[in-house]
Amino acid sequence: MMIRTLLTAAVVVVATGASAQEVTLRAVSAFQENTQFSKNFERFIQKVNAENKGVVQINYIGGPRAVPVFEQGNAIRTRVVDMANVAGAFYTNLMPEADAMKLFDKPMTAQRANGSWEFLNQLHQQKMNSWYLARQAHNVPFHIYLNKKIDKLDFTGLKLRSTPLYKDVVDSLGGTGVTTAPGEVYTALERGVVDGYGWPTQGIFDLGWDKVTKFRLEPSFYSAEVNVLVNMDAWKSLNDRQKKVLSDAAAWLEGLDAENVAINAAEKDRQAKAGIQAIDFGPAESKRFTETAYNAAWKTIISRAPENGPKLRQLAGN
Ligand code: 173
């Protein structure tokens, strides 16, 4: 109720003259403010706001304190907010196909050229009542981080903090998944409620998880995806110039992913310095792990979304 009261009248249209109308969009992020997967979205907001006074502005409400992580999909669908920076893993309840986005690992320029963006945008319009403005975190894969040393690729007896995106990896290696929002990971580890967690290469220092993490399992898998969605009614209310401003800024935002290879290397270095050891069972086991991860994920997606799953797999090309 609080959220609704705070966020109704989501779009404020201020007439500033006969031809100029400034629109203000209200935005949230599923990741805490100023952490790794909010940072570029925040840069995007600053850029839009600095360059487009009198045209379009974004009012950043903040992270999951404003709207809880797993409710952000519904908030964008029903226009409690106009814009959200949110992983597909957080809205698979509304759009099972969103789980496939982690398997789209080509750069966004390629995904926009080969029809992937267009098809995923159609699905977002149908199921999320939203426009798929941008996708971030290309080139940032996921890992399983552990506090217990394992001597083979087997999670039997381990409880691992999860979201829908890690489920197939955790299940197929015999582990038990415990779904939590990122904000609950530290406490779950500290209290020994879980023995490890899924998370990308980047960002474990943001909330102090390095203090409660001992190992990082190799290889990494899939591709992180953090999407900027705009509620469809809010999108339709924009004029062509405002849409172009946001679309151009989205391309700029996606371009920031070029920084990720260097950031990944720096994060792994920093993890090593913090005493986090890599566990690696060599090329043959790594290959088996990767194949299991991809095959299990596609199998789940195709069974949950039989109409769209095969087309998604064909577009993803893996
Ligand atoms: O919470 C998560 O581990 C998760 O699903 C996710 C997705 C994209 C980026 C970072 C985390």
Side-chain angles (χ1 to χ4, degrees), residues 95-201:
M95 177 178 161
E97 293 90 343
D99 196 30
M101 295 169 83
K102 68 188 179 194
L103 305 171
F104 281 76
D105 53 13
K106 295 192 178 76
M108 280 311 286
T109 44
Q111 290 192 47
R112 286 180 184 276
N114 74 8
S116 299
W117 174 80
E118 196 182 346
F119 187 57
L120 287 162
N121 192 11
Q122 277 168 22
L123 293 175
H124 277 87
Q125 291 179 43
Q126 284 163 22
K127 308 215 162 172
M128 299 295 294
N129 187 35
S130 59
W131 180 258
Y132 173 38
L133 184 69
R135 179 245 168 103
Q136 306 162 74
H138 171 252
N139 260 336
V140 189
F142 296 97
H143 287 271
I144 300 293
Y145 295 86
L146 294 167
N147 275 337
K148 288 195 180 144
K149 189 153 195 180
I150 52 172
D151 50 19
K152 55 181 190 310
L153 265 180
D154 185 352
F155 297 156
T156 304
L158 295 181
K159 275 195 281 192
L160 300 170
R161 174 273 169 181
S162 189
T163 68
L165 84 88
Y166 311 102
K167 188 178 183 330
D168 295 306
V169 168
V170 172
D171 288 355
S172 59
L173 290 172
T176 305
V178 181
T179 299
T180 83
E184 290 151 25
V185 173
Y186 187 96
T187 312
L189 288 162
E190 196 189 26
R191 297 194 181 155
V193 172
V194 294
D195 306 303
Y197 57 97
W199 193 258
T201 311

Side-chain angles (χ1 to χ4, degrees), residues 67-92:
V67 181
V69 174
F70 290 100
E71 288 169 34
Q72 292 212 354
N74 210 37
I76 191 73
R77 188 178 69 81
T78 59
R79 207 178 178 182
V80 169
V81 292
D82 300 308
M83 183 182 278
N85 178 60
V86 59
F90 303 147
Y91 55 85
T92 56

